[in-house]
Amino acid sequence: MNFEKYMTRRVKPLKASGIREMFKLMAAPAVISLAGGSPDPELFPTEFLSEIAAEILKNDGKKALAYGTTDGYAPLKEELKKRTEAISSFDKEDKIIITTGAQQAIDLVARTVVEDCDDVVVEAPSFVGTLNSLRSVRANLIGVSMENDGMNMEELEGVLKNNKVKLIYTIPNFQNPAGITMSLAKRQRLLELAKKYDCLILEDNPYGDLRFAGEAVPTVKSLDKEGRVIYVGSLSKILSPGLRIGYLVCRSELCDKIEIVKQVNDVHTPCLTQMMAAEFLKRYDVSAHIKKACEVYGEKCRFMLECMEKYFPKSVSWTKTEGGLFILVSCPDSIDAAALSVEAIKKYKVAFVPCNNFATDMSAKTSSFRLNYSTMPKEKIEEGIKAIGMLLKEKLNKQ
Amino acid sequence: MNFEKYMTRRVKPLKASGIREMFKLMAAPAVISLAGGSPDPELFPTEFLSEIAAEILKNDGKKALAYGTTDGYAPLKEELKKRTEAISSFDKEDKIIITTGAQQAIDLVARTVVEDCDDVVVEAPSFVGTLNSLRSVRANLIGVSMENDGMNMEELEGVLKNNKVKLIYTIPNFQNPAGITMSLAKRQRLLELAKKYDCLILEDNPYGDLRFAGEAVPTVKSLDKEGRVIYVGSLSKILSPGLRIGYLVCRSELCDKIEIVKQVNDVHTPCLTQMMAAEFLKRYDVSAHIKKACEVYGEKCRFMLECMEKYFPKSVSWTKTEGGLFILVSCPDSIDAAALSVEAIKKYKVAFVPCNNFATDMSAKTSSFRLNYSTMPKEKIEEGIKAIGMLLKEKLNKQ
């Protein structure tokens, strides 16, 4: 049978995330992965979660195993509401929904507000999971280039003037893949422009807790008095990505509709993982846990930067991140980062992600790539950076 | 702000499932719920799962808490492949994907093969979760009426002749809400017609294990040599609905695309719940567990039927189910089942689901309703049926 003819226009052009495909290669133990976006597994509170899971199932097993409500387990909603208030803001007209990872939150928003050929602004480059989700609802993606303090606002206004943009997607803190944080002035400008051109903003903040340098900047949501911002958070980077706990906060009128779409999508997020997350937020020393994670990532980031200074050719530059998990490396135009990444895996078993994966046009050639410093131990980071440096020098010397 | 204008045509007409809304009412402890579709919580293997969860997190915590692959945890895929082979069939060209409940499997199929105005055949009545999922991709739903041995095949052929149907959705075993099982002859005819008119079949089999009377009938998938059937299974009814473990099996060409849509949707189903399900299938005495469940549901079903004979007016009839969780009750046309259900909750705190929830046109008046016998203890079943009987007699005597 030929299944192609049954497939919708929505899914026909969809390709698997290059990173998820790389994930399969990375499963080989010898691979040095600077490609992922995972927190350091050494930081998982496995012992605590082991005890908590047993306790929940023993004392409250019927609740943990029965159907739950679509909007999420009430005590977890309460804890995440408090967290949102602490990190960002929670308006009295806001509601919260627990999702199966932040990816589902983003996907639900895409399904709810974006349809065929709607113009959507994304940072260029941006997170592949969101780009693919938006592609799957046939959005017209418009990239706005990134500067060291976030989106280029003149370029953004030009785009908004010349198109009917419905949604602007941004990761203001330690952006994926650029590692860049949007300045306060630009956050304010972003909101002004969204108001002027009547767009919604999707603020994705998975890395916000992981600041190891510089000063915190208020979230876009906390600057928003109208309800224009849909805020997405995640426990993937501070607790565990495998538990798949994300959430979204927005005005109830919109949130109620998103809840119906979630009902259609998976009825509800598993109860047990939600109950575990609630106990983690209630009973674990979360501040100390995050502080520890920031120390570890700060140290690993500094070490990776030192290695890059040491091993990378001088014509290569990179972004300065103050938190999160990523550094973006820019090479001279002659470098084809996609080809380089294939060679790095084959020759040295070193994995990283070329930036075509983060582009609105994935077929365009790119000379940039993303490095992750959170998952590997130091000796592997050095080995990996050294190998990439050798490859780069080889390529650049040949010319 | 007015959010209505941002919402897509897909989601604007979507309404929350009446059953999920009722679920909120049912949370009150005094309510006698004959409305749900849950297994009996007394059957949950809570102690086993408590030990298993602790063990997994203790010995294999890093795997349970890290990102997993989109298609699912390999040992669970292996176990579910074996189960599919035992219950149905698993072709060498088939693949399996683990989903966050069977609802996600159905929703992924809808997103992958159905788009604006595609004709989709559903049984009339049918499962509201699937109807809403299909509505959310703007399918044109065409209901084909149910007989005591499944869909009316003459009616189906008429529909296929006069429309361009892409997909036929069926629950052949102990259908939700009708409790009806499709005969072997009709399953074969369904496949013939799907072949003749070139449609895919979505076979949803959440209740297949729960047969307490009569003889098993082969799945539609097991009769299919071409790969026309997409088979959806679930552990919700035999293990736990709250763990949200579903799966789908179909030809790899289609499955690979569905996997990409899942990646976009939630990256992957939580690892811990998948690992728990794998251990349940490997180490628990699943056959004995299912046998026990069938005994319990068979006994409760017989008891409910006895109560109905005793308390319901003679002009009311119902379907004879051989398994699963539901009985469909048909009243004289003068009864408005939706109004009746509201009165039953208000007057007697008894909940059941009127059949407009299961109709392609939810606004149409209905004189039928669905009863569930799996969740309540016997004394509550009797109390509930007695109350509904009183209401019915009151209505019918008034005329």
Side-chain angles (χ1 to χ4, degrees), chain B residues 270-294:
Chain B
C271 305
L272 175 63
T273 48
Q274 291 188 69
M275 291 166 90
M276 288 166 66
E279 293 309 312
F280 169 76
L281 292 173
K282 262 193 248 180
R283 287 154 60 173
Y284 206 73
D285 190 343
V286 178
S287 306
H289 185 69
I290 292 175
K291 190 162 170 260
K292 174 81 188 298
C294 291

PDB file of all heavy atoms in Angstrom, chain B residues 270-294:
ATOM      1  N   PRO B 270       6.189   9.773  29.378  1.00  0.00           N
ATOM      2  CA  PRO B 270       7.110   9.662  30.519  1.00  0.00           C
ATOM      3  C   PRO B 270       7.776   8.277  30.611  1.00  0.00           C
ATOM      4  O   PRO B 270       7.134   7.257  30.356  1.00  0.00           O
ATOM      5  CB  PRO B 270       6.197   9.910  31.729  1.00  0.00           C
ATOM      6  CG  PRO B 270       5.103  10.789  31.200  1.00  0.00           C
ATOM      7  CD  PRO B 270       4.895  10.369  29.773  1.00  0.00           C
ATOM      8  N   CYS B 271       9.059   8.263  30.982  1.00  0.00           N
ATOM      9  CA  CYS B 271       9.808   6.997  31.031  1.00  0.00           C
ATOM     10  C   CYS B 271       9.366   6.128  32.202  1.00  0.00           C
ATOM     11  O   CYS B 271       9.226   4.904  32.060  1.00  0.00           O
ATOM     12  CB  CYS B 271      11.301   7.277  31.167  1.00  0.00           C
ATOM     13  SG  CYS B 271      11.949   8.348  29.886  1.00  0.00           S
ATOM     14  N   LEU B 272       9.175   6.750  33.366  1.00  0.00           N
ATOM     15  CA  LEU B 272       8.886   5.963  34.566  1.00  0.00           C
ATOM     16  C   LEU B 272       7.628   5.125  34.392  1.00  0.00           C
ATOM     17  O   LEU B 272       7.620   3.919  34.681  1.00  0.00           O
ATOM     18  CB  LEU B 272       8.725   6.903  35.775  1.00  0.00           C
ATOM     19  CG  LEU B 272       8.303   6.217  37.081  1.00  0.00           C
ATOM     20  CD1 LEU B 272       9.339   5.216  37.559  1.00  0.00           C
ATOM     21  CD2 LEU B 272       8.016   7.254  38.170  1.00  0.00           C
ATOM     22  N   THR B 273       6.552   5.749  33.919  1.00  0.00           N
ATOM     23  CA  THR B 273       5.288   5.022  33.754  1.00  0.00           C
ATOM     24  C   THR B 273       5.439   3.916  32.712  1.00  0.00           C
ATOM     25  O   THR B 273       4.867   2.836  32.865  1.00  0.00           O
ATOM     26  CB  THR B 273       4.167   6.002  33.355  1.00  0.00           C
ATOM     27  OG1 THR B 273       4.641   6.835  32.290  1.00  0.00           O
ATOM     28  CG2 THR B 273       3.780   6.888  34.526  1.00  0.00           C
ATOM     29  N   GLN B 274       6.228   4.155  31.675  1.00  0.00           N
ATOM     30  CA  GLN B 274       6.485   3.109  30.678  1.00  0.00           C
ATOM     31  C   GLN B 274       7.265   1.952  31.287  1.00  0.00           C
ATOM     32  O   GLN B 274       6.996   0.777  31.017  1.00  0.00           O
ATOM     33  CB  GLN B 274       7.299   3.659  29.506  1.00  0.00           C
ATOM     34  CG  GLN B 274       6.565   4.636  28.621  1.00  0.00           C
ATOM     35  CD  GLN B 274       7.390   4.958  27.383  1.00  0.00           C
ATOM     36  OE1 GLN B 274       7.579   4.117  26.517  1.00  0.00           O
ATOM     37  NE2 GLN B 274       7.889   6.173  27.300  1.00  0.00           N
ATOM     38  N   MET B 275       8.259   2.275  32.114  1.00  0.00           N
ATOM     39  CA  MET B 275       9.083   1.231  32.732  1.00  0.00           C
ATOM     40  C   MET B 275       8.239   0.405  33.714  1.00  0.00           C
ATOM     41  O   MET B 275       8.386  -0.815  33.807  1.00  0.00           O
ATOM     42  CB  MET B 275      10.302   1.862  33.414  1.00  0.00           C
ATOM     43  CG  MET B 275      11.301   2.443  32.408  1.00  0.00           C
ATOM     44  SD  MET B 275      12.550   3.543  33.155  1.00  0.00           S
ATOM     45  CE  MET B 275      13.847   2.351  33.540  1.00  0.00           C
ATOM     46  N   MET B 276       7.332   1.090  34.433  1.00  0.00           N
ATOM     47  CA  MET B 276       6.434   0.382  35.353  1.00  0.00           C
ATOM     48  C   MET B 276       5.520  -0.567  34.581  1.00  0.00           C
ATOM     49  O   MET B 276       5.306  -1.725  34.982  1.00  0.00           O
ATOM     50  CB  MET B 276       5.598   1.386  36.152  1.00  0.00           C
ATOM     51  CG  MET B 276       6.396   2.135  37.207  1.00  0.00           C
ATOM     52  SD  MET B 276       5.501   3.601  37.852  1.00  0.00           S
ATOM     53  CE  MET B 276       4.126   2.815  38.682  1.00  0.00           C
ATOM     54  N   ALA B 277       4.992  -0.081  33.463  1.00  0.00           N
ATOM     55  CA  ALA B 277       4.100  -0.921  32.650  1.00  0.00           C
ATOM     56  C   ALA B 277       4.849  -2.139  32.106  1.00  0.00           C
ATOM     57  O   ALA B 277       4.308  -3.249  32.063  1.00  0.00           O
ATOM     58  CB  ALA B 277       3.513  -0.094  31.506  1.00  0.00           C
ATOM     59  N   ALA B 278       6.109  -1.930  31.718  1.00  0.00           N
ATOM     60  CA  ALA B 278       6.910  -3.051  31.195  1.00  0.00           C
ATOM     61  C   ALA B 278       7.105  -4.115  32.269  1.00  0.00           C
ATOM     62  O   ALA B 278       6.955  -5.319  32.002  1.00  0.00           O
ATOM     63  CB  ALA B 278       8.261  -2.538  30.693  1.00  0.00           C
ATOM     64  N   GLU B 279       7.395  -3.685  33.482  1.00  0.00           N
ATOM     65  CA  GLU B 279       7.602  -4.652  34.574  1.00  0.00           C
ATOM     66  C   GLU B 279       6.299  -5.365  34.923  1.00  0.00           C
ATOM     67  O   GLU B 279       6.305  -6.551  35.230  1.00  0.00           O
ATOM     68  CB  GLU B 279       8.186  -3.958  35.813  1.00  0.00           C
ATOM     69  CG  GLU B 279       9.598  -3.431  35.625  1.00  0.00           C
ATOM     70  CD  GLU B 279      10.565  -4.466  35.069  1.00  0.00           C
ATOM     71  OE1 GLU B 279      10.601  -5.606  35.588  1.00  0.00           O
ATOM     72  OE2 GLU B 279      11.279  -4.144  34.089  1.00  0.00           O
ATOM     73  N   PHE B 280       5.191  -4.622  34.878  1.00  0.00           N
ATOM     74  CA  PHE B 280       3.873  -5.240  35.117  1.00  0.00           C
ATOM     75  C   PHE B 280       3.641  -6.366  34.113  1.00  0.00           C
ATOM     76  O   PHE B 280       3.278  -7.484  34.491  1.00  0.00           O
ATOM     77  CB  PHE B 280       2.779  -4.172  34.993  1.00  0.00           C
ATOM     78  CG  PHE B 280       1.365  -4.713  34.960  1.00  0.00           C
ATOM     79  CD1 PHE B 280       0.742  -5.151  36.124  1.00  0.00           C
ATOM     80  CD2 PHE B 280       0.652  -4.767  33.762  1.00  0.00           C
ATOM     81  CE1 PHE B 280      -0.566  -5.651  36.096  1.00  0.00           C
ATOM     82  CE2 PHE B 280      -0.655  -5.266  33.726  1.00  0.00           C
ATOM     83  CZ  PHE B 280      -1.258  -5.706  34.896  1.00  0.00           C
ATOM     84  N   LEU B 281       3.887  -6.095  32.840  1.00  0.00           N
ATOM     85  CA  LEU B 281       3.640  -7.115  31.814  1.00  0.00           C
ATOM     86  C   LEU B 281       4.622  -8.278  31.929  1.00  0.00           C
ATOM     87  O   LEU B 281       4.283  -9.425  31.644  1.00  0.00           O
ATOM     88  CB  LEU B 281       3.717  -6.496  30.417  1.00  0.00           C
ATOM     89  CG  LEU B 281       2.595  -5.499  30.085  1.00  0.00           C
ATOM     90  CD1 LEU B 281       2.848  -4.819  28.741  1.00  0.00           C
ATOM     91  CD2 LEU B 281       1.227  -6.179  30.071  1.00  0.00           C
ATOM     92  N   LYS B 282       5.844  -7.980  32.387  1.00  0.00           N
ATOM     93  CA  LYS B 282       6.873  -9.029  32.491  1.00  0.00           C
ATOM     94  C   LYS B 282       6.696  -9.883  33.724  1.00  0.00           C
ATOM     95  O   LYS B 282       6.820 -11.092  33.679  1.00  0.00           O
ATOM     96  CB  LYS B 282       8.264  -8.366  32.572  1.00  0.00           C
ATOM     97  CG  LYS B 282       8.999  -8.310  31.254  1.00  0.00           C
ATOM     98  CD  LYS B 282      10.463  -7.939  31.504  1.00  0.00           C
ATOM     99  CE  LYS B 282      10.722  -6.565  30.936  1.00  0.00           C
ATOM    100  NZ  LYS B 282      12.102  -6.096  31.129  1.00  0.00           N
ATOM    101  N   ARG B 283       6.439  -9.216  34.863  1.00  0.00           N
ATOM    102  CA  ARG B 283       6.563  -9.926  36.139  1.00  0.00           C
ATOM    103  C   ARG B 283       5.255 -10.237  36.853  1.00  0.00           C
ATOM    104  O   ARG B 283       5.220 -11.080  37.735  1.00  0.00           O
ATOM    105  CB  ARG B 283       7.484  -9.115  37.072  1.00  0.00           C
ATOM    106  CG  ARG B 283       8.936  -9.218  36.642  1.00  0.00           C
ATOM    107  CD  ARG B 283       9.752  -8.028  37.072  1.00  0.00           C
ATOM    108  NE  ARG B 283       9.777  -7.826  38.506  1.00  0.00           N
ATOM    109  CZ  ARG B 283      10.542  -6.928  39.130  1.00  0.00           C
ATOM    110  NH1 ARG B 283      11.351  -6.148  38.410  1.00  0.00           N
ATOM    111  NH2 ARG B 283      10.509  -6.793  40.433  1.00  0.00           N
ATOM    112  N   TYR B 284       4.196  -9.497  36.509  1.00  0.00           N
ATOM    113  CA  TYR B 284       2.927  -9.720  37.199  1.00  0.00           C
ATOM    114  C   TYR B 284       2.195 -10.862  36.503  1.00  0.00           C
ATOM    115  O   TYR B 284       2.429 -11.138  35.329  1.00  0.00           O
ATOM    116  CB  TYR B 284       2.094  -8.440  37.109  1.00  0.00           C
ATOM    117  CG  TYR B 284       1.090  -8.267  38.222  1.00  0.00           C
ATOM    118  CD1 TYR B 284       1.513  -7.932  39.506  1.00  0.00           C
ATOM    119  CD2 TYR B 284      -0.269  -8.404  37.999  1.00  0.00           C
ATOM    120  CE1 TYR B 284       0.595  -7.744  40.536  1.00  0.00           C
ATOM    121  CE2 TYR B 284      -1.192  -8.222  39.014  1.00  0.00           C
ATOM    122  CZ  TYR B 284      -0.756  -7.894  40.285  1.00  0.00           C
ATOM    123  OH  TYR B 284      -1.657  -7.704  41.298  1.00  0.00           O
ATOM    124  N   ASP B 285       1.300 -11.512  37.223  1.00  0.00           N
ATOM    125  CA  ASP B 285       0.506 -12.553  36.575  1.00  0.00           C
ATOM    126  C   ASP B 285      -0.676 -11.875  35.874  1.00  0.00           C
ATOM    127  O   ASP B 285      -1.783 -11.784  36.399  1.00  0.00           O
ATOM    128  CB  ASP B 285       0.023 -13.575  37.615  1.00  0.00           C
ATOM    129  CG  ASP B 285      -0.606 -14.791  36.944  1.00  0.00           C
ATOM    130  OD1 ASP B 285      -0.948 -14.696  35.738  1.00  0.00           O
ATOM    131  OD2 ASP B 285      -0.764 -15.821  37.619  1.00  0.00           O
ATOM    132  N   VAL B 286      -0.406 -11.402  34.660  1.00  0.00           N
ATOM    133  CA  VAL B 286      -1.374 -10.573  33.941  1.00  0.00           C
ATOM    134  C   VAL B 286      -2.630 -11.370  33.576  1.00  0.00           C
ATOM    135  O   VAL B 286      -3.744 -10.856  33.684  1.00  0.00           O
ATOM    136  CB  VAL B 286      -0.722  -9.927  32.697  1.00  0.00           C
ATOM    137  CG1 VAL B 286      -1.727  -9.115  31.915  1.00  0.00           C
ATOM    138  CG2 VAL B 286       0.442  -9.040  33.121  1.00  0.00           C
ATOM    139  N   SER B 287      -2.438 -12.634  33.192  1.00  0.00           N
ATOM    140  CA  SER B 287      -3.608 -13.463  32.841  1.00  0.00           C
ATOM    141  C   SER B 287      -4.552 -13.591  34.025  1.00  0.00           C
ATOM    142  O   SER B 287      -5.772 -13.430  33.885  1.00  0.00           O
ATOM    143  CB  SER B 287      -3.179 -14.861  32.411  1.00  0.00           C
ATOM    144  OG  SER B 287      -2.250 -14.765  31.386  1.00  0.00           O
ATOM    145  N   ALA B 288      -3.993 -13.893  35.195  1.00  0.00           N
ATOM    146  CA  ALA B 288      -4.827 -14.039  36.391  1.00  0.00           C
ATOM    147  C   ALA B 288      -5.502 -12.706  36.731  1.00  0.00           C
ATOM    148  O   ALA B 288      -6.669 -12.670  37.125  1.00  0.00           O
ATOM    149  CB  ALA B 288      -3.974 -14.510  37.571  1.00  0.00           C
ATOM    150  N   HIS B 289      -4.745 -11.612  36.550  1.00  0.00           N
ATOM    151  CA  HIS B 289      -5.271 -10.269  36.825  1.00  0.00           C
ATOM    152  C   HIS B 289      -6.469  -9.969  35.915  1.00  0.00           C
ATOM    153  O   HIS B 289      -7.508  -9.475  36.374  1.00  0.00           O
ATOM    154  CB  HIS B 289      -4.145  -9.249  36.599  1.00  0.00           C
ATOM    155  CG  HIS B 289      -4.504  -7.843  36.954  1.00  0.00           C
ATOM    156  ND1 HIS B 289      -4.699  -7.434  38.247  1.00  0.00           N
ATOM    157  CD2 HIS B 289      -4.704  -6.745  36.178  1.00  0.00           C
ATOM    158  CE1 HIS B 289      -5.000  -6.136  38.253  1.00  0.00           C
ATOM    159  NE2 HIS B 289      -5.010  -5.703  37.007  1.00  0.00           N
ATOM    160  N   ILE B 290      -6.342 -10.286  34.648  1.00  0.00           N
ATOM    161  CA  ILE B 290      -7.427 -10.034  33.689  1.00  0.00           C
ATOM    162  C   ILE B 290      -8.614 -10.950  33.978  1.00  0.00           C
ATOM    163  O   ILE B 290      -9.773 -10.531  33.921  1.00  0.00           O
ATOM    164  CB  ILE B 290      -6.927 -10.206  32.234  1.00  0.00           C
ATOM    165  CG1 ILE B 290      -5.941  -9.082  31.901  1.00  0.00           C
ATOM    166  CG2 ILE B 290      -8.088 -10.231  31.247  1.00  0.00           C
ATOM    167  CD1 ILE B 290      -5.272  -9.198  30.545  1.00  0.00           C
ATOM    168  N   LYS B 291      -8.311 -12.220  34.329  1.00  0.00           N
ATOM    169  CA  LYS B 291      -9.381 -13.185  34.650  1.00  0.00           C
ATOM    170  C   LYS B 291     -10.218 -12.653  35.821  1.00  0.00           C
ATOM    171  O   LYS B 291     -11.441 -12.669  35.789  1.00  0.00           O
ATOM    172  CB  LYS B 291      -8.735 -14.534  35.001  1.00  0.00           C
ATOM    173  CG  LYS B 291      -9.720 -15.682  35.118  1.00  0.00           C
ATOM    174  CD  LYS B 291      -9.017 -17.036  35.024  1.00  0.00           C
ATOM    175  CE  LYS B 291      -9.989 -18.152  35.383  1.00  0.00           C
ATOM    176  NZ  LYS B 291      -9.833 -18.626  36.765  1.00  0.00           N
ATOM    177  N   LYS B 292      -9.510 -12.160  36.824  1.00  0.00           N
ATOM    178  CA  LYS B 292     -10.173 -11.581  37.994  1.00  0.00           C
ATOM    179  C   LYS B 292     -11.072 -10.405  37.588  1.00  0.00           C
ATOM    180  O   LYS B 292     -12.236 -10.318  38.008  1.00  0.00           O
ATOM    181  CB  LYS B 292      -9.087 -11.111  38.981  1.00  0.00           C
ATOM    182  CG  LYS B 292      -9.578 -10.356  40.210  1.00  0.00           C
ATOM    183  CD  LYS B 292     -10.073 -11.292  41.289  1.00  0.00           C
ATOM    184  CE  LYS B 292     -10.742 -10.523  42.436  1.00  0.00           C
ATOM    185  NZ  LYS B 292      -9.814  -9.597  43.139  1.00  0.00           N
ATOM    186  N   ALA B 293     -10.513  -9.505  36.765  1.00  0.00           N
ATOM    187  CA  ALA B 293     -11.274  -8.332  36.316  1.00  0.00           C
ATOM    188  C   ALA B 293     -12.537  -8.779  35.572  1.00  0.00           C
ATOM    189  O   ALA B 293     -13.624  -8.241  35.799  1.00  0.00           O
ATOM    190  CB  ALA B 293     -10.407  -7.449  35.426  1.00  0.00           C
ATOM    191  N   CYS B 294     -12.396  -9.778  34.696  1.00  0.00           N
ATOM    192  CA  CYS B 294     -13.549 -10.265  33.930  1.00  0.00           C
ATOM    193  C   CYS B 294     -14.619 -10.830  34.868  1.00  0.00           C
ATOM    194  O   CYS B 294     -15.813 -10.615  34.651  1.00  0.00           O
ATOM    195  CB  CYS B 294     -13.122 -11.331  32.924  1.00  0.00           C
ATOM    196  SG  CYS B 294     -12.129 -10.644  31.588  1.00  0.00           S
TER     197      CYS B 294
END
